[in-house]
Amino acid sequence: MSAHAPVRILYQSYTDPALHQPYLSRLTDYLAGIAAPGVSFEVRGISPADTQLGRLSELRCSVQSIAGIVEAEREGFDAVLVGHFQDAGLFEARTAVDIPVVGHGEASMHQACMLGGRVGIVSIDPVYLPWHHEQIRRYGLESRVVDVRCMQITPDEAVAAYDDPAGYEAIKGTV
């Protein structure tokens, strides 16, 4: 019987470790609970977080994320999960390192399509509509992802809902 080396996965979030602590704590606990034996996750964020909703903010954050992913490879991580549905910087990160880099958007869309014939996406803000339609085309899912709808909430409102039942109830009504 051969012993396997522990697997370390970096979860690279686009949230701020100080500002979004309730969300990141809950995420860390969740990942620890679902990790297979011998697999560990480390959650890291960026500062400032992606709160300005737009392509410039996505670019700024993806540069920080890529730097974190390069550092993770140097630190011996085995893989990275980019925890940002828009997958900003995903393909650039993949060219910068030799470890697997998985994007939330890409993985989520493909998983949803495996589970259902046709699926839809609910995003937090209309500013992301063109971005999501680009993702759908890039991943070859035009015939499978049939609609994209949006709430109109800020990332901070979404994150706050993780630790505030009233905040959660408030955003449920925006879909």
Side-chain angles (χ1 to χ4, degrees), residues 11 29 45 61-62 65 85-86 90 92 97 99 119 140 145 152 155:
Y11 185 106
D29 292 345
C61 293
S62 67
S65 174
F85 193 85
Q86 289 79 353
L90 175 64
E92 294 79 4
V97 295
I99 59 176
V119 301
V145 180
Q152 290 193 351

Side-chain angles (χ1 to χ4, degrees), residues 52-81:
Q52 297 304 308
L53 301 188
R55 290 197 183 263
L56 277 177
S57 183
E58 294 286 329
L59 174 62
R60 176 189 58 76
C61 293
S62 67
V63 169
Q64 289 182 73
S65 174
I66 294 165
I69 292 166
V70 169
E71 184 61 28
E73 182 180 51
R74 286 188 193 127
E75 293 174 13
F77 280 86
D78 298 293
V80 176
L81 173 56

Side-chain angles (χ1 to χ4, degrees), residues 1-165:
M1 180 176 190
S2 67
H4 296 285
V7 175
R8 294 175 60 215
I9 301 173
L10 173 66
Y11 185 106
Q12 178 62 62
S13 177
Y14 277 48
T15 55
D16 187 295
L19 293 175
H20 305 120
Q21 188 54 44
Y23 164 74
L24 292 172
S25 291
R26 189 172 286 192
L27 175 61
T28 298
D29 292 345
Y30 174 76
L31 292 171
I34 65 166
V39 176
S40 65
F41 287 90
E42 183 176 323
V43 178
R44 294 182 185 170
I46 58 174
S47 185
D50 184 20
T51 58
Q52 297 304 308
L53 301 188
R55 290 197 183 263
L56 277 177
S57 183
E58 294 286 329
L59 174 62
R60 176 189 58 76
C61 293
S62 67
V63 169
Q64 289 182 73
S65 174
I66 294 165
I69 292 166
V70 169
E71 184 61 28
E73 182 180 51
R74 286 188 193 127
E75 293 174 13
F77 280 86
D78 298 293
V80 176
L81 173 56
V82 177
H84 188 64
F85 193 85
Q86 289 79 353
D87 291 338
L90 175 64
F91 294 97
E92 294 79 4
R94 287 176 175 164
T95 67
V97 295
D98 290 324
I99 59 176
V101 181
V102 177
H104 252 196
E106 182 179 33
S108 297
M109 286 184 205
H110 281 97
Q111 177 67 22
C113 288
M114 287 173 40
L115 296 173
R118 297 177 350 162
V119 301
I121 296 172
V122 178
S123 186
I124 66 170
D125 191 278
V127 73
Y128 291 123
L129 280 174
W131 195 292
H132 294 321
H133 286 290
E134 288 171 17
Q135 287 176 286
I136 293 163
R137 283 190 302 277
R138 183 181 318 123
Y139 305 145
L141 300 174
E142 299 96 324
S143 67
R144 305 288 303 281
V145 180
V146 297
D147 200 3
V148 182
R149 300 279 174 101
C150 296
M151 300 182 286
Q152 290 193 351
I153 62 172
T154 68
D156 286 339
E157 289 171 320
V159 169
Y162 280 89
D163 202 37
D164 175 17

